[in-house]
Amino acid sequence: MKREEKIIVGISIGDLNGIGSEIVLKIFEDNRMMDFYTPVIFASTKTMTFVKNYFKLNINLNGINTTKEIVHGKVNVLNCWKENVNINFGKEDLKIGEYAIKSLEAATKALKDEEIDVLVTAPINKSNIQSDTFKFPGHTDYLAQELEGDSLMFMVTDTLRVGLLTDHVPVKDVSNHISPELIIKKIDTVYNSLKTDFRISKPKIAVLGINPHTGDNGVIGTEDDTIMRPTLKKIKESGKLVFGPYAADSFFGSDNYKSFDAIIASYHDQGLIPFKTLSFGQGVNFTAGLNRVRTSPDHGTAYEIAGKGIADISSFKEALFTAVSIFKNRNEFEELNKNPLAISKRKRFDERKYESKKK
């Protein structure tokens, strides 16, 4: 971290007709949040004031026009537009999608320019963001283009981490996308993220099979035998603690997942259904593998409850703290690797701390 001040958290506002703006402002009603980081909401003061008044929230907003005007200890709103926005909670609106993209693009530029330290994205509607200039299925794909590295959707809590080999891919196309090269790349991304972002020195990773019962010896598909098993064997021979493929239907119900630092699912629903079931709204979507930190809550726009004042802030709050934690871990990892003596001291300190906890 280059700055002396608090970590600056940029927040893209997402779909204004959804629950994003409500949960963002509700979180910062608690002034203690500013003890941990400085928030910058990419939207407009007019729009956020409307949301504040609509939900009768007790919060002071500090409107700014450039990141140079950021004030620590305040909820900063960086003006990305000046006009009034017609907000209709719960309604899908192409115009609202345009404002979601304005916010995202401005926040991403600030992240690339190191004017903010991390980015937390409020939910968007994947349908109303599409245009001639924005043709991405979601945040992850857009940020993969804008930032350096190999992106991976990594759903995380304190006790569960699930990565995906394929994310926004139709089920009928999943097996065509999975190759030895993809498996190796995604496992490397998860492995490096566990070490760098979560400070796990020897990560242990489980991989779920592609087909039901991992193919049942070719009866229900051959991909697990011809692609997955040989590739995992090769990776394990390189020294990584990688295991599988495991049959996905029984893996989570048997609590087998608790034996691993991360689980890699072959496709979207195979990983996200058990993750969201087990995380109980505490989950965070982290885009691993990029040179900048981005997180988001594990839910969508929730049009059905938007504007009713009942949206749960838990997942978004976790996304904020997770982004800050990962940013700190990355910087500490970098510093420790520059100074081997510091690594040795840190290891001895951690061992003493662990032994004292055991007693």
Side-chain angles (χ1 to χ4, degrees), residues 224-242:
D224 291 288
D225 290 330
T226 60
I227 299 173
M228 186 68 80
R229 283 191 174 88
T231 305
L232 295 185
K233 181 181 178 184
K234 182 179 178 181
I235 294 170
K236 196 169 183 179
E237 287 172 352
S238 73
K240 291 184 175 70
L241 300 178
V242 177

Side-chain angles (χ1 to χ4, degrees), residues 67-344:
T67 53
K68 293 179 180 179
E69 302 171 51
I70 292 171
V71 177
H72 296 283
K74 292 187 179 294
V75 180
N76 299 274
V77 179
L78 194 147
N79 290 299
C80 300
W81 58 83
K82 295 180 180 179
E83 67 272 17
N84 292 320
V85 178
N86 186 23
I87 295 177
N88 292 297
F89 290 112
K91 304 294 183 183
E92 183 173 336
D93 186 338
L94 289 173
K95 190 66 178 176
I96 290 295
E98 292 177 11
Y99 287 109
I101 297 309
K102 283 183 180 181
S103 173
L104 176 61
E105 289 178 340
T108 302
K109 184 179 186 304
L111 184 67
K112 290 167 67 174
D113 294 342
E114 298 187 355
E115 295 172 352
I116 59 175
D117 295 306
V118 300
L119 172 62
V120 182
T121 58
I124 54 176
N125 180 324
K126 292 180 175 61
S127 175
N128 69 16
I129 61 171
Q130 303 302 317
S131 69
D132 291 338
T133 57
F134 194 95
K135 297 180 180 179
F136 301 93
H139 286 115
T140 303
D141 305 87
Y142 171 71
L143 292 168
Q145 173 186 283
E146 294 297 310
L147 303 174
E148 297 174 10
D150 293 317
S151 70
L152 174 134
M153 185 183 291
F154 207 8
M155 308 298 293
V156 302
T157 68
D158 288 341
T159 57
L160 177 63
R161 303 176 191 90
V162 177
L164 302 179
L165 285 181
T166 64
D167 41 56
H168 296 126
V169 174
V171 173
K172 66 182 178 64
D173 298 330
V174 166
S175 61
N176 293 330
H177 278 72
I178 295 177
S179 64
E181 293 77 18
L182 179 74
I183 295 168
I184 291 169
K185 183 172 78 169
K186 296 296 185 181
I187 287 177
D188 280 349
T189 299
V190 169
Y191 183 85
N192 292 331
S193 179
L194 290 171
K195 292 189 70 174
T196 304
D197 301 328
F198 298 95
R199 292 184 58 198
I200 298 170
S201 58
K202 292 186 70 66
K204 188 177 179 184
I205 300 169
V207 182
L208 304 183
I210 302 168
N211 296 298
H213 308 295
T214 65
D216 265 347
N217 296 315
V219 176
I220 319 175
T222 61
E223 292 88 351
D224 291 288
D225 290 330
T226 60
I227 299 173
M228 186 68 80
R229 283 191 174 88
T231 305
L232 295 185
K233 181 181 178 184
K234 182 179 178 181
I235 294 170
K236 196 169 183 179
E237 287 172 352
S238 73
K240 291 184 175 70
L241 300 178
V242 177
F243 303 89
Y246 292 97
D249 61 343
S250 58
F251 185 81
F252 291 94
S254 65
D255 283 351
N256 199 13
Y257 71 93
K258 294 180 179 179
S259 302
F260 299 92
D261 298 304
I263 300 96
I264 299 179
S266 290
Y267 56 93
H268 187 278
D269 285 12
Q270 186 191 62
L272 266 65
I273 289 174
F275 177 85
K276 291 188 178 184
T277 301
L278 293 167
S279 65
F280 299 108
Q282 302 293 317
V284 174
N285 180 356
F286 165 48
T287 306
L290 298 179
N291 66 330
R292 300 283 186 271
V293 178
R294 174 262 173 167
T295 63
S296 72
D298 68 354
H299 58 73
T301 56
Y303 284 150
E304 65 278 7
I305 62 168
K308 297 180 180 179
I310 59 174
D312 188 347
I313 67 173
S314 301
S315 181
F316 201 93
K317 183 184 278 189
E318 288 296 324
L320 289 164
F321 280 110
T322 299
V324 170
S325 174
I326 290 171
F327 182 79
K328 288 180 176 179
N329 284 344
R330 283 189 180 185
N331 279 279
E332 184 172 288
F333 183 86
E334 184 179 334
E335 289 301 316
L336 289 175
N337 278 280
K338 287 178 181 177
N339 185 351
L341 180 61
I343 295 176
S344 177

